[in-house]
Each structure stands twice: as structure tokens, then as C-alpha cells.
Amino acid sequence: MQTPLDRLADFDLTDEQRQVRASVREFAEKEILPHVEMYEREARYPTELVAKLPPLGLMGPMIPEEYGGSYSDVVTYGIIMEEIARVDWVVASVISVANSLCAGSILNHGTDAQKERWLPGIAAGEILCSACLTEPGGGTDLGNMASTAEKVDGGWQLTGTKVFISHAAHAGLFFVVASVDRAKKHKGVTAFLVDPKTTDGITIGDFPMRTLKRDNLAEVHFEKAFIPDDALLGKAGGGFPVLGSALDTGRFSVAARCVGQAQRCLDLALPYAMDREAFGQKIGEFQMIQQKIADMTVRTQAARHFVYQLGRMKDAGVPRASMEASLAKLTASKAAVDNALDAIQIHGGYGLSEEYEIGRLLLEAKSLEFGEGTSELHTKMIAEFMLGVRKQ
């Protein structure tokens, strides 16, 4: 159903970007959406759905053509993330982790050999990626991680545990961070590119969740896993600059995914409000329901504005846009959660029934408030940037 928000969403996009939005939405609704609920009930990782991405160039939207990718611009990448996440969090996450965290880090900080080894396989969908960042003791405080990398002859021995790790059991590349000297805090953090299929000392265990069962989230344990010197990404102790640039783009993609979920909540609420009747009229004619629809619309478009603004800054060559990334991530993740809550209220009891997807969207949206930094962290960062305490 065409809505006035569709015009707001694309009035300043190029014709090519509009075409991308239309084609990705058509693909997502036809090829992904019909399977999501079944995959969630069966806790089944969407391998078959992910396999449909590479022929359309959707596995490498941030990878240059010379490495087999389909890169055009950052805003277009955001549109892809928005439209895929509008129907499925997990398939969107596959693209996001591969491009924002892994491929982006390799492009910005990797050697020529690392680029040649990893990027073509990622773009072709032959290598799925997993970012091993979060630890049992905390995810936001990356400067205080417990995982360690000890220098040995010819490489490093990696020891530690990572939790809430998406795609781990299906990945051919781990982007791992560990400390080479915990006393140095963030200056000891180091990034590695790890091949889990050829590296001994890695154990991948189940990490059961109440939601996102189809994501097969895992606990990854490293026990003196040998990582060769050529797997070091950047410099030893130089992991924070790698993470900094990766998280800008990572937060952009997560924020775009949140916009997609916020939009999906609105898309589901509008027809329901005009179909459902109570007290002799459609519930969409009641002012309290209209208030919720208006709030959902404002949140969605405000979040989309911040996401597109950040994308355009990146397209203009701004190297770091951390405050803008926090603005986009904070606004969009809150929009996704609040829109899901309002959409459930509009649906009433049906919002929690298995017949409707909106209840699932609430739990998934809530998880996006944690990923790539909690709302509390981003609130603190925005304030510190504005006060001059923190610099870009």
C-alpha cells in the first residue's frame, strides 16, 4: 500500500537509488518474508535465503567491483539494509556484519594479501562473516576485554570467550578483537582475521535465546588458538582505530536496519487500524489510535533522516562521524522499539498471537538497542561530543 511516507522516504534519492529500493523490496517480500516465521519456529538458520543474495549483488554492497562487490555509495547500502531488515533481521545481519565490520575493516586496514584472500569470497557469498566482539563480562566496554593474544613464534595464541555471536557456526571468517596487554586498556586491543575452519583451539557452542532463534547465536571459546602473523589486522595494539572506523559504518547499518523494522511496524499497523472495528467504527478513527499512528510516522522519518544524513557524510568522504553515528543509532533503535510497542497496542491481544508477526518484531527491535552500543552509551557519547569532552 502506497503511503505519504513513501514520498518522504525517497523524494531526494537518485533514480538509481529508487530503483534499488523497489527491486530489493520486491525481492525481500517475495523471497524472504514468506519463510521467516517458519525459520524462527524451527530455529533454522536461513542458509537457503542467504544463498539468494549474491546473484543480486546483495552480499557485497560495500565491496568494490575489483574484488567482486557491487559498491556504489553508502546511502544505497543503507537502503539495502533498510529494505532487507524490513522483512528479516537475520538476513540483514548477514549482509551488515560482512560489509560494515569485516569487509570494511579489511578495506581500510588490511594488507593487499588480506584483501585478495577475503573480499572476493565475501562478495560471492562463499565466506560468511562473524564479529567476535562481545564478552561475558560486558559488550560495551571494549577497552576492558578479558580475551588475550599472547605473542609466540610465527603468530599469536588467542584465549578467551565471546558471547551473543551471530553467524558463528556458519562463518568462514571471524573478525576477533583481543588484548595483547590488558594493563594498557584500549591501547592493548588488537584485531585479527581468523579462519575458524582451519584454526585449532576454537569451540563454538549454542547460546539459546528467547528470540532470534533462527540466528543460531553462539558462544565462541578460544583456547590457545594459534593465529598466524599474517592474520593480524592493522598493528598490534592498534585495534581501537580499526574498531572506530568499523563501528561508524556498523552503527550506520544497524540504524538503517532499525528504520526498516520501524517502517514494518507502521506498515502492519495502518491496514489493521482501518480493518478492525470497535464500537461501530474503525479503530483508526479513534483519536488515541491516530495519535499512535502519527507518533510512529514521526519516529520513522526522523530516524531515516539521521541515517541518510550519516550516509551522505560518509559518501562525502568524512573519515569519522562518530557523533552522527550515535545520533542515528540511538534515534533509530528507539523508533523500532517504540513503534513495535504502539503497533502491538493497536493490534490488541492479536499483537501477541503467533498469527501476527508484530510480537516477534518487538523482541527483535529490542535486541537492536543493544547491538553496536547500548542506548545509554550513545546518549553519553552525544552529550560528551556536544560538551567537548569527547572528540571525533
Side-chain angles (χ1 to χ4, degrees):
M1 180 179 66
Q2 189 79 1
T3 73
L5 193 56
D6 291 324
R7 182 176 66 175
L8 287 173
D10 73 359
F11 82 97
D12 58 349
L13 300 181
T14 65
D15 288 341
E16 291 78 11
Q17 289 167 338
R18 291 191 183 98
Q19 290 170 4
V20 169
R21 181 186 293 282
S23 62
V24 175
R25 178 171 291 198
E26 180 182 9
F27 162 77
E29 290 185 343
K30 182 184 296 184
E31 301 293 340
I32 299 176
L33 182 59
H35 308 284
V36 174
E37 290 289 349
M38 178 184 69
Y39 279 47
E40 179 67 11
R41 287 194 299 271
E42 296 177 358
R44 176 179 168 187
Y45 190 78
T47 304
E48 299 88 347
L49 305 183
V50 173
K52 297 179 180 182
L53 300 174
L56 299 177
L58 296 178
M59 271 305 298
M62 288 294 284
I63 299 175
E65 289 184 5
E66 64 183 289
Y67 297 110
S70 57
Y71 178 77
S72 56
D73 57 76
V74 179
V75 172
T76 297
Y77 172 49
I79 292 169
I80 292 170
M81 287 289 86
E82 178 183 336
E83 292 300 331
I84 296 293
R86 179 176 166 270
V87 302
D88 187 31
W89 191 104
V90 176
V91 175
S93 174
V94 171
I95 304 170
S96 176
V97 173
N99 286 267
S100 294
L101 295 177
C102 295
S105 297
I106 294 169
L107 281 166
N108 291 329
H109 302 278
T111 64
D112 289 341
Q114 289 171 334
K115 294 173 186 177
E116 291 291 345
R117 177 181 179 186
W118 296 112
L119 296 180
I122 295 172
E126 298 165 357
I127 299 173
L128 300 188
C129 299
S130 184
C132 299
L133 306 179
T134 305
E135 297 190 347
T140 299
D141 187 7
L142 291 172
N144 195 35
M145 65 181 57
S147 297
T148 59
E150 180 183 358
K151 189 71 180 77
V152 295
D153 187 32
W156 304 80
Q157 279 190 340
L158 182 61
T159 299
T161 300
K162 305 290 185 176
V163 292
F164 299 107
I165 308 303
S166 294
H167 321 301
H170 309 272
L173 171 61
F174 282 177
F175 173 56
V176 185
V177 288
S179 179
V180 297
D181 187 344
R182 295 194 66 208
K184 293 183 177 179
K185 299 293 186 179
H186 68 277
K187 292 184 178 180
V189 174
T190 304
F192 298 92
L193 301 171
V194 179
D195 184 344
K197 299 184 184 303
T198 61
T199 304
D200 294 329
I202 299 178
T203 304
I204 301 173
D206 293 336
F207 198 84
M209 300 284 287
R210 289 189 179 274
T211 187
L212 291 170
K213 295 180 182 296
R214 65 193 185 281
D215 193 9
N216 297 171
L217 263 71
E219 176 178 288
V220 180
H221 183 66
F222 301 90
E223 182 60 44
K224 294 185 176 179
F226 177 75
I227 313 300
D229 280 326
D230 62 6
L232 181 67
L233 183 60
K235 299 178 180 179
F240 244 63
V242 176
L243 282 171
S245 58
L247 290 177
D248 268 9
T249 311
R251 286 163 181 165
F252 169 78
S253 66
V254 170
R257 287 157 54 194
C258 290
V259 171
Q261 289 209 275
Q263 181 68 58
R264 182 64 177 169
C265 293
L266 186 54
D267 291 344
L268 294 171
L270 288 170
Y272 189 87
M274 296 309 292
D275 287 341
R276 176 76 169 172
E277 292 189 359
F279 303 102
Q281 68 184 70
K282 298 180 185 304
I283 65 171
E285 296 173 349
F286 288 102
Q287 288 185 344
M288 292 300 290
I289 299 299
Q290 292 177 350
Q291 178 70 61
K292 294 184 187 301
I293 295 297
D295 288 344
M296 293 170 74
T297 302
V298 170
R299 291 185 201 115
T300 303
Q301 187 55 20
R304 184 177 280 117
H305 166 77
F306 279 122
V307 172
Y308 286 12
Q309 179 189 56
L310 175 58
R312 290 188 175 107
M313 291 179 72
K314 287 298 182 181
D315 283 329
V318 176
R320 291 294 300 273
S322 298
M323 189 183 85
E324 292 79 8
S326 287
L327 283 167
K329 169 59 171 58
L330 176 66
T331 304
S333 61
K334 288 176 71 68
V337 172
D338 290 345
N339 275 18
L341 286 168
D342 279 347
I344 288 175
Q345 192 70 19
I346 290 170
H347 281 73
Y350 288 107
L352 300 179
S353 73
E354 288 192 352
E355 182 181 354
Y356 293 83
E357 67 183 89
I358 191 64
R360 172 176 59 78
L361 292 181
L362 173 60
L363 289 175
E364 293 181 3
K366 191 63 184 176
S367 71
L368 288 167
E369 276 200 309
F370 310 138
E372 301 286 357
T374 64
S375 293
E376 291 80 6
L377 171 68
H378 290 297
T379 300
K380 180 176 185 292
M381 289 176 65
I382 292 166
E384 289 178 350
F385 279 125
M386 292 302 297
L387 292 167
V389 176
R390 183 186 291 264
K391 305 297 181 184
Q392 290 278 16

